[in-house]
Structures are given as structure tokens and as C-alpha cells.
């Protein structure tokens, strides 16, 4: 039976926020780190407290702390995923039954999955506005469309709480890779992936047609190097349609593993699907060094109203 999401997604200027007890975000040197909260404060939204995730990649949190005027608490995060989970659970505990807003723009994808899992386990949270500032452009390297946010060695991780029931020996086992701009991620995932069926999903451009082509170009080694069933497409900036895409195509699959290597909204849609279908296994490659600047300017800021009680 279909479990498709009927969703609420608006530009931040059109979304009506309640007073916010806890605002969760991540510090980064990209402009979008402060875009969402700046717009909220400018429109008069009251925020009691903030949790700022501070990564050890050289990003500065000064601008965010100034916006919150002493109402923020920082979590210093290394590349140890389990360390982040323990810190976040402790820090968010006083606000777990209150109004929470999350800006996912600069939160790393594995940490976003952990945040959603922790909040999902609390039955009192009905919905969460998630903010995402869409970049105008990306920081490319070597004068072409090569893109790298991961600067160090990569290691594949099964994300905590997303072990699923994946059995690669099942003749119907499916491995789904959502392609992003960073070709090294898909290559790393495929080094260790075991499956009977392989699917690539490319993101339809949220801003420019060229992004769809850049994704294929930067992942050409992965695509050409493996036998795969098909390349499918899903929206780059709409987590709900990503969820509906997965629900339509894979809800009945007994053995499925997903690597969400695309945009944060795509990863959010995958996360919602995995939260509702606990059979799903999530694998993500994590680097030991990340860039502190990967995007330029902001074209729009969206609010996704996420339900965790479905």
C-alpha cells in the first residue's frame, strides 16, 4: 500500500514559523551558513536557544554566534560519527519536547541522519521545519567542473541506526546510489559494494541544467566501470519527491542499500524513507578532512516541514 508523502515546502519568506525553542545549524565559511537564520531574525522570529555544530575543518562560527547574541551552544565535532551522536543527544535533551528548527544547509549528511534518528525516537515531536539554502554556484577545482568537499582519505561507514536488513546474497538485492558532484564518493562506495542489482539516480537540476550534466561527467568512472541496471532521475531540491520516488520503486524490495551522495534535500528524502522503512541500509563515505568553502552565494532558501510521526 502506498505511503507517499503529501508535503509542505515553501520559500522561507512565505513560511510562518512558531516561536523557536531550539535552532540547530552548522558553522561554515559558505554564505548559506547564516542565510536562513538571518532571514528568520529579520522577519521577527523569536529564537530562545541555538545549537551550533562546529566542525574541525577551519570553519568559523563567529558570524552565527553574533546573530544569536549569546544564546548559542557549540558542539565541537571531529570525524568520529559516534562522538557527534553522544554530544548531540546530551545537548538537545532539554529541548526535545519543544519547537525545533534545523538548518541542514551546512550539516554533514551523516550527522543529519543521526539528528533525524534521535528526534524520530521521541514520540512527542510532530513536525520539524528544515531549512535549506540553495547555492547559486559551487566551488570548482582545476579550472573545470571538478568538485571536492572531501579533501582526505575516504572510508565507507554504515550509518548508526541505519543497519537495515540488507542481504547482498538475495537475488533481488538492490544497491541505489544517488549521484552528486563529487565522483570520488561513488568510486569509494563501489569499492566495497556487494549487490545483485545496481541503480544510479541522478538529480534533476534545482537551479541550472548544467548541474545534471556535471554530475554525470564527474561520476563517469563509476558509471562506465560497473554493470548497472539503469540511471534514474529525482529532484535535487525536493526531499518529499525523493521519498515518493523511493516509495514507488523500492518500498517492496526485501533487500536494499542506499548511498545518498547528492544534495542535502536528496539525502533528507532518503533519510525519511529509511526512517519509515527500517529494512533499508545506509552507507556513506566519510573523509578525514573537509573543505571549509564549497559553495558561492545563495539563490533561494526553502523550508521543508518534516513529519517524523508517519
Amino acid at each position: 500500500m502506498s505511503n507517499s508523502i503529501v508535503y509542505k515546502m515553501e520559500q522561507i519568506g512565505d513560511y510562518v514559523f512558531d516561536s523557536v525553542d531550539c535552532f540547530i545549524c552548522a558553522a561554515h565559511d559558505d554564505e548559506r551558513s547564516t542565510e536562513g537564520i538571518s532571514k528568520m531574525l529579520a522577519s521577527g522570529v523569536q529564537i530562545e536557544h541555538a545549537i551550533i555544530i562546529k566542525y574541525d575543518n577551519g570553519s568559523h562560527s563567529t558570524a552565527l554566534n553574533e546573530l544569536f547574541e549569546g544564546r548559542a551552544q557549540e558542539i565541537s565535532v571531529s570525524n568520529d560519527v559516534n562522538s557527534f551522536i553522544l554530544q548531540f543527544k546530551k545537548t538537545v535533551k532539554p529541548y526535545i519536547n519543544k519547537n525545533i528548527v534545523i538548518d541542514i544547509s551546512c550539516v554533514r549528511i551523516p550527522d543529519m541522519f543521526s539528528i533525524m534518528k534521535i528526534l524520530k525516537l521521541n514520540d512527542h515531536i510532530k513536525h520539524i521545519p528544515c531549512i535549506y539554502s540553495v547555492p547559486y554556484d559551487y566551488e570548482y577545482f582545476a579550472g573545470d567542473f571538478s568538485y571536492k568537499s572531501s579533501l582526505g582519505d575516504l572510508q565507507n561507514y554504515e550509518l548508526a541506526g541505519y543497519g537495515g536488513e540488507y542481504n547482498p546474497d538475495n537475488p533481488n538485492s538492490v544497491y541505489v546510489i544517488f549521484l552528486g558532484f563529487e565522483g570520488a564518493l561513488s568510486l569509494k562506495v563501489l569499492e566495497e559494494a556487494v549487490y545483485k542489482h545496481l541503480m544510479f539516480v541522478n538529480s534533476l537540476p534545482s537551479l541550472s541544467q548544467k548541474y545534471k550534466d556535471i554530475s554525470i561527467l564527474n561520476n563517469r568512472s563509476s558509471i562506465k566501470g560497473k554493470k548497472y541496471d539503469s540511471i534514474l532521475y529525482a529532484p535535487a531540491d525536493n526531499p518529499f519527491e525523493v521519498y515518493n520516488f523511493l516509495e514507488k520503486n523500492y518500498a517492496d524490495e526485501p533487500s536494499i542499500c542506499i548511498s545518498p551522495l547528492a544534495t542535502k534535500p536528496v539525502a533528507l528524502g532518503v533519510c525519511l524513507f529509511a526512517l519509515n522503512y527500517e529494512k533499508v541500509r545506509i552507507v556513506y563515505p566519510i573523509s578525514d578532512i573537509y573543505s571549509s568553502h564549497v559553495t558561492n552565494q545563495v539563490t533561494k532558501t526553502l523550508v521543508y516541514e518534516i513529519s517524523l510521526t508517519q
Side-chain angles (χ1 to χ4, degrees):
M1 188 171 93
S2 176
N3 194 30
S4 297
I5 290 179
V6 177
Y7 55 83
K8 184 175 183 179
M9 166 179 159
E10 296 179 349
Q11 296 262 6
I12 193 168
D14 300 325
Y15 188 86
V16 179
F17 290 92
D18 297 325
S19 60
V20 178
D21 296 302
C22 184
F23 185 90
I24 300 167
C25 60
H28 207 278
D29 289 349
D30 291 354
E31 294 96 323
R32 59 183 181 157
S33 174
T34 57
E35 186 75 12
I37 185 60
S38 295
K39 289 183 180 297
M40 289 176 65
L41 293 173
S43 66
V45 178
Q46 298 297 311
I47 297 176
E48 177 187 326
H49 185 78
I51 297 174
I52 301 174
I53 301 168
K54 178 73 164 58
Y55 294 114
D56 60 354
N57 62 345
S59 294
H60 299 91
S61 57
T62 305
L64 280 171
N65 276 302
E66 288 176 351
L67 287 169
F68 291 119
E69 299 177 335
R71 290 168 288 142
Q73 181 177 357
E74 287 190 5
I75 300 178
S76 295
V77 181
S78 66
N79 294 320
D80 183 348
V81 178
N82 292 327
S83 173
F84 168 77
I85 292 171
L86 293 173
Q87 287 191 75
F88 180 76
K89 286 176 69 175
K90 181 179 178 180
T91 308
V92 80
K93 187 176 180 180
Y95 307 98
I96 204 72
N97 296 325
K98 299 183 179 180
N99 291 332
I100 294 175
V101 174
I102 305 173
D103 188 335
I104 65 171
S105 302
C106 297
V107 177
R108 292 177 186 166
I109 285 174
D111 297 333
M112 182 181 71
F113 272 74
S114 296
I115 290 170
M116 293 301 174
K117 186 72 170 185
I118 291 166
L119 297 179
K120 168 77 171 180
L121 293 175
N122 187 281
D123 294 333
H124 299 287
I125 296 177
K126 298 272 192 300
H127 70 272
I128 299 175
C130 288
I131 297 170
Y132 179 70
S133 292
V134 181
Y136 177 77
D137 204 358
Y138 293 83
E139 191 73 15
Y140 301 112
F141 291 79
D144 57 18
F145 291 123
S146 298
Y147 170 84
K148 290 186 71 175
S149 64
S150 308
L151 303 181
D153 294 331
L154 292 166
Q155 183 174 346
N156 291 323
Y157 284 88
E158 176 185 279
L159 297 190
Y162 297 89
E165 301 171 3
Y166 184 66
N167 176 12
D169 294 325
N170 186 311
N172 295 315
S173 65
V174 179
Y175 204 120
V176 182
I177 299 178
F178 283 83
L179 300 172
F181 280 179
E182 197 164 354
L185 299 186
S186 59
L187 282 172
K188 184 61 181 179
V189 163
L190 286 169
E191 278 184 9
E192 302 174 12
V194 181
Y195 50 82
K196 299 299 182 185
H197 300 277
L198 175 63
M199 304 287 185
F200 291 112
V201 184
N202 197 23
S203 299
L204 292 170
S206 58
L207 176 63
S208 171
Q209 178 68 26
K210 70 178 182 180
Y211 291 157
K212 174 175 65 69
D213 301 324
I214 293 171
S215 178
I216 293 293
L217 180 66
N218 289 350
N219 287 279
R220 61 189 180 277
S221 295
S222 297
I223 295 171
K224 289 182 178 180
K226 295 289 181 179
K227 182 180 179 181
Y228 59 90
D229 291 51
S230 60
I231 299 179
L232 305 174
Y233 291 88
D237 65 349
N238 191 324
F240 306 107
E241 288 302 336
V242 171
Y243 178 97
N244 290 339
F245 163 85
L246 288 168
E247 204 277 337
K248 176 182 177 182
N249 289 284
Y250 301 111
D252 295 329
E253 294 293 344
S255 181
I256 179 170
C257 183
I258 305 176
S259 288
L261 312 180
T263 63
K264 301 285 175 54
V266 168
L268 181 58
V270 174
C271 180
L272 295 175
F273 182 73
L275 288 172
N276 284 340
Y277 291 89
E278 294 185 352
K279 64 183 179 181
V280 178
R281 182 184 188 224
I282 302 296
V283 171
Y284 195 88
I286 297 176
S287 175
D288 55 358
I289 305 173
Y290 284 92
S291 173
S292 63
H293 176 62
V294 293
T295 68
N296 297 307
Q297 303 179 310
V298 173
T299 182
K300 59 182 176 180
T301 299
L302 299 170
V303 182
Y304 312 115
E305 190 169 289
I306 302 299
S307 172
L308 294 178
T309 58
Q310 190 169 356

PDB file of all heavy atoms in Angstrom, residues 5 104 112-113 178 238-244 246 258 260 263-275 306:
ATOM      1  N   ILE A   5       4.270  10.716   0.604  1.00  0.00           N
ATOM      2  CA  ILE A   5       4.157  11.904   1.434  1.00  0.00           C
ATOM      3  C   ILE A   5       3.409  13.011   0.692  1.00  0.00           C
ATOM      4  O   ILE A   5       3.690  13.305  -0.461  1.00  0.00           O
ATOM      5  CB  ILE A   5       5.556  12.421   1.826  1.00  0.00           C
ATOM      6  CG1 ILE A   5       6.221  11.459   2.806  1.00  0.00           C
ATOM      7  CG2 ILE A   5       5.482  13.806   2.438  1.00  0.00           C
ATOM      8  CD1 ILE A   5       7.613  11.889   3.227  1.00  0.00           C
ATOM      9  N   ILE A 104      19.698  22.572   7.561  1.00  0.00           N
ATOM     10  CA  ILE A 104      20.539  21.462   7.108  1.00  0.00           C
ATOM     11  C   ILE A 104      21.591  21.903   6.101  1.00  0.00           C
ATOM     12  O   ILE A 104      22.409  21.091   5.657  1.00  0.00           O
ATOM     13  CB  ILE A 104      19.694  20.332   6.490  1.00  0.00           C
ATOM     14  CG1 ILE A 104      18.994  20.820   5.216  1.00  0.00           C
ATOM     15  CG2 ILE A 104      18.702  19.771   7.508  1.00  0.00           C
ATOM     16  CD1 ILE A 104      18.303  19.698   4.435  1.00  0.00           C
ATOM     17  N   MET A 112      23.245  14.668   9.735  1.00  0.00           N
ATOM     18  CA  MET A 112      21.827  14.921   9.525  1.00  0.00           C
ATOM     19  C   MET A 112      21.010  13.645   9.761  1.00  0.00           C
ATOM     20  O   MET A 112      19.948  13.674  10.392  1.00  0.00           O
ATOM     21  CB  MET A 112      21.576  15.449   8.110  1.00  0.00           C
ATOM     22  CG  MET A 112      20.116  15.775   7.821  1.00  0.00           C
ATOM     23  SD  MET A 112      19.863  16.381   6.134  1.00  0.00           S
ATOM     24  CE  MET A 112      20.126  14.876   5.194  1.00  0.00           C
ATOM     25  N   PHE A 113      21.511  12.512   9.283  1.00  0.00           N
ATOM     26  CA  PHE A 113      20.837  11.234   9.515  1.00  0.00           C
ATOM     27  C   PHE A 113      20.762  10.935  11.012  1.00  0.00           C
ATOM     28  O   PHE A 113      19.727  10.466  11.508  1.00  0.00           O
ATOM     29  CB  PHE A 113      21.566  10.103   8.780  1.00  0.00           C
ATOM     30  CG  PHE A 113      21.108   9.900   7.361  1.00  0.00           C
ATOM     31  CD1 PHE A 113      21.465  10.794   6.366  1.00  0.00           C
ATOM     32  CD2 PHE A 113      20.318   8.814   7.026  1.00  0.00           C
ATOM     33  CE1 PHE A 113      21.052  10.609   5.054  1.00  0.00           C
ATOM     34  CE2 PHE A 113      19.893   8.618   5.718  1.00  0.00           C
ATOM     35  CZ  PHE A 113      20.261   9.519   4.727  1.00  0.00           C
ATOM     36  N   PHE A 178      22.676   7.561  -5.156  1.00  0.00           N
ATOM     37  CA  PHE A 178      22.275   8.894  -5.603  1.00  0.00           C
ATOM     38  C   PHE A 178      23.547   9.687  -5.899  1.00  0.00           C
ATOM     39  O   PHE A 178      24.339   9.973  -5.001  1.00  0.00           O
ATOM     40  CB  PHE A 178      21.439   9.595  -4.529  1.00  0.00           C
ATOM     41  CG  PHE A 178      20.031   9.119  -4.449  1.00  0.00           C
ATOM     42  CD1 PHE A 178      19.711   7.969  -3.737  1.00  0.00           C
ATOM     43  CD2 PHE A 178      19.005   9.800  -5.103  1.00  0.00           C
ATOM     44  CE1 PHE A 178      18.396   7.512  -3.660  1.00  0.00           C
ATOM     45  CE2 PHE A 178      17.692   9.359  -5.033  1.00  0.00           C
ATOM     46  CZ  PHE A 178      17.384   8.215  -4.318  1.00  0.00           C
ATOM     47  N   ASN A 238      13.967  18.666  -3.620  1.00  0.00           N
ATOM     48  CA  ASN A 238      12.672  18.299  -3.049  1.00  0.00           C
ATOM     49  C   ASN A 238      12.750  16.935  -2.353  1.00  0.00           C
ATOM     50  O   ASN A 238      12.630  15.895  -2.995  1.00  0.00           O
ATOM     51  CB  ASN A 238      11.599  18.272  -4.136  1.00  0.00           C
ATOM     52  CG  ASN A 238      10.197  18.152  -3.568  1.00  0.00           C
ATOM     53  OD1 ASN A 238       9.980  17.478  -2.566  1.00  0.00           O
ATOM     54  ND2 ASN A 238       9.237  18.796  -4.207  1.00  0.00           N
ATOM     55  N   PRO A 239      12.968  16.923  -1.036  1.00  0.00           N
ATOM     56  CA  PRO A 239      13.094  15.644  -0.327  1.00  0.00           C
ATOM     57  C   PRO A 239      11.837  14.795  -0.364  1.00  0.00           C
ATOM     58  O   PRO A 239      11.906  13.560  -0.320  1.00  0.00           O
ATOM     59  CB  PRO A 239      13.427  16.073   1.113  1.00  0.00           C
ATOM     60  CG  PRO A 239      12.905  17.459   1.235  1.00  0.00           C
ATOM     61  CD  PRO A 239      13.074  18.075  -0.115  1.00  0.00           C
ATOM     62  N   PHE A 240      10.695  15.445  -0.460  1.00  0.00           N
ATOM     63  CA  PHE A 240       9.429  14.711  -0.451  1.00  0.00           C
ATOM     64  C   PHE A 240       9.260  13.907  -1.736  1.00  0.00           C
ATOM     65  O   PHE A 240       8.783  12.770  -1.715  1.00  0.00           O
ATOM     66  CB  PHE A 240       8.261  15.675  -0.261  1.00  0.00           C
ATOM     67  CG  PHE A 240       8.412  16.558   0.948  1.00  0.00           C
ATOM     68  CD1 PHE A 240       8.720  17.895   0.802  1.00  0.00           C
ATOM     69  CD2 PHE A 240       8.276  16.049   2.228  1.00  0.00           C
ATOM     70  CE1 PHE A 240       8.876  18.722   1.911  1.00  0.00           C
ATOM     71  CE2 PHE A 240       8.435  16.852   3.335  1.00  0.00           C
ATOM     72  CZ  PHE A 240       8.735  18.195   3.180  1.00  0.00           C
ATOM     73  N   GLU A 241       9.644  14.494  -2.857  1.00  0.00           N
ATOM     74  CA  GLU A 241       9.552  13.760  -4.116  1.00  0.00           C
ATOM     75  C   GLU A 241      10.602  12.662  -4.186  1.00  0.00           C
ATOM     76  O   GLU A 241      10.385  11.627  -4.820  1.00  0.00           O
ATOM     77  CB  GLU A 241       9.693  14.720  -5.302  1.00  0.00           C
ATOM     78  CG  GLU A 241       8.481  15.613  -5.513  1.00  0.00           C
ATOM     79  CD  GLU A 241       7.193  14.818  -5.731  1.00  0.00           C
ATOM     80  OE1 GLU A 241       7.247  13.646  -6.173  1.00  0.00           O
ATOM     81  OE2 GLU A 241       6.112  15.363  -5.458  1.00  0.00           O
ATOM     82  N   VAL A 242      11.750  12.872  -3.537  1.00  0.00           N
ATOM     83  CA  VAL A 242      12.736  11.792  -3.437  1.00  0.00           C
ATOM     84  C   VAL A 242      12.148  10.636  -2.630  1.00  0.00           C
ATOM     85  O   VAL A 242      12.273   9.469  -3.004  1.00  0.00           O
ATOM     86  CB  VAL A 242      14.042  12.307  -2.792  1.00  0.00           C
ATOM     87  CG1 VAL A 242      14.980  11.136  -2.480  1.00  0.00           C
ATOM     88  CG2 VAL A 242      14.734  13.310  -3.712  1.00  0.00           C
ATOM     89  N   TYR A 243      11.491  10.964  -1.522  1.00  0.00           N
ATOM     90  CA  TYR A 243      10.817   9.934  -0.716  1.00  0.00           C
ATOM     91  C   TYR A 243       9.778   9.199  -1.569  1.00  0.00           C
ATOM     92  O   TYR A 243       9.728   7.957  -1.579  1.00  0.00           O
ATOM     93  CB  TYR A 243      10.141  10.564   0.492  1.00  0.00           C
ATOM     94  CG  TYR A 243       9.375   9.571   1.344  1.00  0.00           C
ATOM     95  CD1 TYR A 243       9.948   9.017   2.483  1.00  0.00           C
ATOM     96  CD2 TYR A 243       8.091   9.155   0.990  1.00  0.00           C
ATOM     97  CE1 TYR A 243       9.263   8.085   3.252  1.00  0.00           C
ATOM     98  CE2 TYR A 243       7.400   8.225   1.738  1.00  0.00           C
ATOM     99  CZ  TYR A 243       7.986   7.700   2.871  1.00  0.00           C
ATOM    100  OH  TYR A 243       7.300   6.774   3.612  1.00  0.00           O
ATOM    101  N   ASN A 244       8.946   9.942  -2.266  1.00  0.00           N
ATOM    102  CA  ASN A 244       7.895   9.322  -3.080  1.00  0.00           C
ATOM    103  C   ASN A 244       8.490   8.455  -4.188  1.00  0.00           C
ATOM    104  O   ASN A 244       7.956   7.388  -4.514  1.00  0.00           O
ATOM    105  CB  ASN A 244       6.988  10.395  -3.668  1.00  0.00           C
ATOM    106  CG  ASN A 244       6.136  11.071  -2.603  1.00  0.00           C
ATOM    107  OD1 ASN A 244       5.915  10.520  -1.519  1.00  0.00           O
ATOM    108  ND2 ASN A 244       5.654  12.271  -2.898  1.00  0.00           N
ATOM    109  N   LEU A 246      11.371   6.831  -4.022  1.00  0.00           N
ATOM    110  CA  LEU A 246      11.845   5.609  -3.381  1.00  0.00           C
ATOM    111  C   LEU A 246      10.689   4.713  -2.963  1.00  0.00           C
ATOM    112  O   LEU A 246      10.742   3.481  -3.117  1.00  0.00           O
ATOM    113  CB  LEU A 246      12.697   5.961  -2.157  1.00  0.00           C
ATOM    114  CG  LEU A 246      14.077   6.548  -2.448  1.00  0.00           C
ATOM    115  CD1 LEU A 246      14.691   7.132  -1.181  1.00  0.00           C
ATOM    116  CD2 LEU A 246      14.999   5.484  -3.045  1.00  0.00           C
ATOM    117  N   ILE A 258      21.256   1.985   0.272  1.00  0.00           N
ATOM    118  CA  ILE A 258      21.278   3.274  -0.424  1.00  0.00           C
ATOM    119  C   ILE A 258      22.483   4.083   0.036  1.00  0.00           C
ATOM    120  O   ILE A 258      22.779   4.149   1.237  1.00  0.00           O
ATOM    121  CB  ILE A 258      19.995   4.085  -0.156  1.00  0.00           C
ATOM    122  CG1 ILE A 258      18.751   3.269  -0.523  1.00  0.00           C
ATOM    123  CG2 ILE A 258      20.011   5.400  -0.928  1.00  0.00           C
ATOM    124  CD1 ILE A 258      17.435   3.967  -0.193  1.00  0.00           C
ATOM    125  N   PRO A 260      23.371   8.002  -0.257  1.00  0.00           N
ATOM    126  CA  PRO A 260      22.866   9.315  -0.685  1.00  0.00           C
ATOM    127  C   PRO A 260      24.003  10.317  -0.851  1.00  0.00           C
ATOM    128  O   PRO A 260      24.338  11.063   0.060  1.00  0.00           O
ATOM    129  CB  PRO A 260      21.937   9.703   0.472  1.00  0.00           C
ATOM    130  CG  PRO A 260      22.568   9.049   1.671  1.00  0.00           C
ATOM    131  CD  PRO A 260      23.260   7.813   1.194  1.00  0.00           C
ATOM    132  N   THR A 263      22.621  16.067  -3.134  1.00  0.00           N
ATOM    133  CA  THR A 263      22.377  17.264  -2.333  1.00  0.00           C
ATOM    134  C   THR A 263      21.784  16.919  -0.970  1.00  0.00           C
ATOM    135  O   THR A 263      21.283  15.815  -0.748  1.00  0.00           O
ATOM    136  CB  THR A 263      21.406  18.203  -3.051  1.00  0.00           C
ATOM    137  OG1 THR A 263      20.134  17.533  -3.194  1.00  0.00           O
ATOM    138  CG2 THR A 263      21.921  18.611  -4.434  1.00  0.00           C
ATOM    139  N   LYS A 264      21.806  17.897  -0.061  1.00  0.00           N
ATOM    140  CA  LYS A 264      21.195  17.685   1.266  1.00  0.00           C
ATOM    141  C   LYS A 264      19.700  17.381   1.165  1.00  0.00           C
ATOM    142  O   LYS A 264      19.211  16.493   1.874  1.00  0.00           O
ATOM    143  CB  LYS A 264      21.424  18.914   2.147  1.00  0.00           C
ATOM    144  CG  LYS A 264      22.882  19.280   2.370  1.00  0.00           C
ATOM    145  CD  LYS A 264      23.555  18.358   3.334  1.00  0.00           C
ATOM    146  CE  LYS A 264      25.053  18.686   3.427  1.00  0.00           C
ATOM    147  NZ  LYS A 264      25.364  20.080   3.736  1.00  0.00           N
ATOM    148  N   PRO A 265      18.917  18.086   0.327  1.00  0.00           N
ATOM    149  CA  PRO A 265      17.498  17.724   0.215  1.00  0.00           C
ATOM    150  C   PRO A 265      17.286  16.296  -0.277  1.00  0.00           C
ATOM    151  O   PRO A 265      16.377  15.611   0.192  1.00  0.00           O
ATOM    152  CB  PRO A 265      16.945  18.752  -0.788  1.00  0.00           C
ATOM    153  CG  PRO A 265      17.844  19.938  -0.635  1.00  0.00           C
ATOM    154  CD  PRO A 265      19.204  19.354  -0.394  1.00  0.00           C
ATOM    155  N   VAL A 266      18.109  15.842  -1.219  1.00  0.00           N
ATOM    156  CA  VAL A 266      18.009  14.454  -1.671  1.00  0.00           C
ATOM    157  C   VAL A 266      18.304  13.504  -0.510  1.00  0.00           C
ATOM    158  O   VAL A 266      17.573  12.536  -0.266  1.00  0.00           O
ATOM    159  CB  VAL A 266      18.985  14.180  -2.840  1.00  0.00           C
ATOM    160  CG1 VAL A 266      19.097  12.682  -3.113  1.00  0.00           C
ATOM    161  CG2 VAL A 266      18.517  14.909  -4.095  1.00  0.00           C
ATOM    162  N   ALA A 267      19.380  13.801   0.227  1.00  0.00           N
ATOM    163  CA  ALA A 267      19.736  12.964   1.379  1.00  0.00           C
ATOM    164  C   ALA A 267      18.643  12.980   2.435  1.00  0.00           C
ATOM    165  O   ALA A 267      18.374  11.955   3.081  1.00  0.00           O
ATOM    166  CB  ALA A 267      21.061  13.435   1.976  1.00  0.00           C
ATOM    167  N   LEU A 268      17.992  14.123   2.619  1.00  0.00           N
ATOM    168  CA  LEU A 268      16.895  14.208   3.583  1.00  0.00           C
ATOM    169  C   LEU A 268      15.739  13.301   3.165  1.00  0.00           C
ATOM    170  O   LEU A 268      15.129  12.628   3.998  1.00  0.00           O
ATOM    171  CB  LEU A 268      16.425  15.657   3.717  1.00  0.00           C
ATOM    172  CG  LEU A 268      15.294  15.920   4.708  1.00  0.00           C
ATOM    173  CD1 LEU A 268      15.666  15.479   6.115  1.00  0.00           C
ATOM    174  CD2 LEU A 268      14.915  17.410   4.692  1.00  0.00           C
ATOM    175  N   GLY A 269      15.434  13.278   1.875  1.00  0.00           N
ATOM    176  CA  GLY A 269      14.385  12.385   1.384  1.00  0.00           C
ATOM    177  C   GLY A 269      14.733  10.928   1.602  1.00  0.00           C
ATOM    178  O   GLY A 269      13.886  10.118   1.996  1.00  0.00           O
ATOM    179  N   VAL A 270      16.000  10.572   1.367  1.00  0.00           N
ATOM    180  CA  VAL A 270      16.457   9.207   1.626  1.00  0.00           C
ATOM    181  C   VAL A 270      16.344   8.887   3.113  1.00  0.00           C
ATOM    182  O   VAL A 270      15.921   7.795   3.513  1.00  0.00           O
ATOM    183  CB  VAL A 270      17.914   9.027   1.155  1.00  0.00           C
ATOM    184  CG1 VAL A 270      18.442   7.646   1.558  1.00  0.00           C
ATOM    185  CG2 VAL A 270      18.016   9.197  -0.358  1.00  0.00           C
ATOM    186  N   CYS A 271      16.707   9.863   3.946  1.00  0.00           N
ATOM    187  CA  CYS A 271      16.635   9.672   5.398  1.00  0.00           C
ATOM    188  C   CYS A 271      15.201   9.397   5.846  1.00  0.00           C
ATOM    189  O   CYS A 271      14.954   8.471   6.630  1.00  0.00           O
ATOM    190  CB  CYS A 271      17.184  10.917   6.094  1.00  0.00           C
ATOM    191  SG  CYS A 271      17.150  10.838   7.894  1.00  0.00           S
ATOM    192  N   LEU A 272      14.250  10.163   5.349  1.00  0.00           N
ATOM    193  CA  LEU A 272      12.847   9.956   5.713  1.00  0.00           C
ATOM    194  C   LEU A 272      12.373   8.573   5.287  1.00  0.00           C
ATOM    195  O   LEU A 272      11.631   7.900   6.014  1.00  0.00           O
ATOM    196  CB  LEU A 272      11.976  11.041   5.081  1.00  0.00           C
ATOM    197  CG  LEU A 272      12.222  12.468   5.557  1.00  0.00           C
ATOM    198  CD1 LEU A 272      11.381  13.450   4.749  1.00  0.00           C
ATOM    199  CD2 LEU A 272      11.928  12.615   7.044  1.00  0.00           C
ATOM    200  N   PHE A 273      12.808   8.144   4.112  1.00  0.00           N
ATOM    201  CA  PHE A 273      12.446   6.816   3.628  1.00  0.00           C
ATOM    202  C   PHE A 273      13.024   5.728   4.540  1.00  0.00           C
ATOM    203  O   PHE A 273      12.332   4.777   4.914  1.00  0.00           O
ATOM    204  CB  PHE A 273      12.943   6.641   2.192  1.00  0.00           C
ATOM    205  CG  PHE A 273      12.590   5.321   1.572  1.00  0.00           C
ATOM    206  CD1 PHE A 273      11.292   5.048   1.183  1.00  0.00           C
ATOM    207  CD2 PHE A 273      13.560   4.354   1.368  1.00  0.00           C
ATOM    208  CE1 PHE A 273      10.951   3.825   0.606  1.00  0.00           C
ATOM    209  CE2 PHE A 273      13.242   3.135   0.792  1.00  0.00           C
ATOM    210  CZ  PHE A 273      11.932   2.863   0.407  1.00  0.00           C
ATOM    211  N   ALA A 274      14.293   5.883   4.921  1.00  0.00           N
ATOM    212  CA  ALA A 274      14.935   4.883   5.786  1.00  0.00           C
ATOM    213  C   ALA A 274      14.331   4.878   7.183  1.00  0.00           C
ATOM    214  O   ALA A 274      14.283   3.830   7.835  1.00  0.00           O
ATOM    215  CB  ALA A 274      16.438   5.164   5.857  1.00  0.00           C
ATOM    216  N   LEU A 275      13.865   6.032   7.661  1.00  0.00           N
ATOM    217  CA  LEU A 275      13.217   6.077   8.973  1.00  0.00           C
ATOM    218  C   LEU A 275      11.890   5.332   8.961  1.00  0.00           C
ATOM    219  O   LEU A 275      11.506   4.705   9.954  1.00  0.00           O
ATOM    220  CB  LEU A 275      12.997   7.527   9.404  1.00  0.00           C
ATOM    221  CG  LEU A 275      14.245   8.319   9.811  1.00  0.00           C
ATOM    222  CD1 LEU A 275      13.885   9.793  10.030  1.00  0.00           C
ATOM    223  CD2 LEU A 275      14.885   7.735  11.067  1.00  0.00           C
ATOM    224  N   ILE A 306       8.904  18.742   7.928  1.00  0.00           N
ATOM    225  CA  ILE A 306       9.126  17.303   8.011  1.00  0.00           C
ATOM    226  C   ILE A 306       8.266  16.700   9.120  1.00  0.00           C
ATOM    227  O   ILE A 306       8.265  17.186  10.237  1.00  0.00           O
ATOM    228  CB  ILE A 306      10.611  17.007   8.315  1.00  0.00           C
ATOM    229  CG1 ILE A 306      11.506  17.617   7.254  1.00  0.00           C
ATOM    230  CG2 ILE A 306      10.840  15.512   8.431  1.00  0.00           C
ATOM    231  CD1 ILE A 306      11.276  17.096   5.863  1.00  0.00           C
TER     232      ILE A 306
END
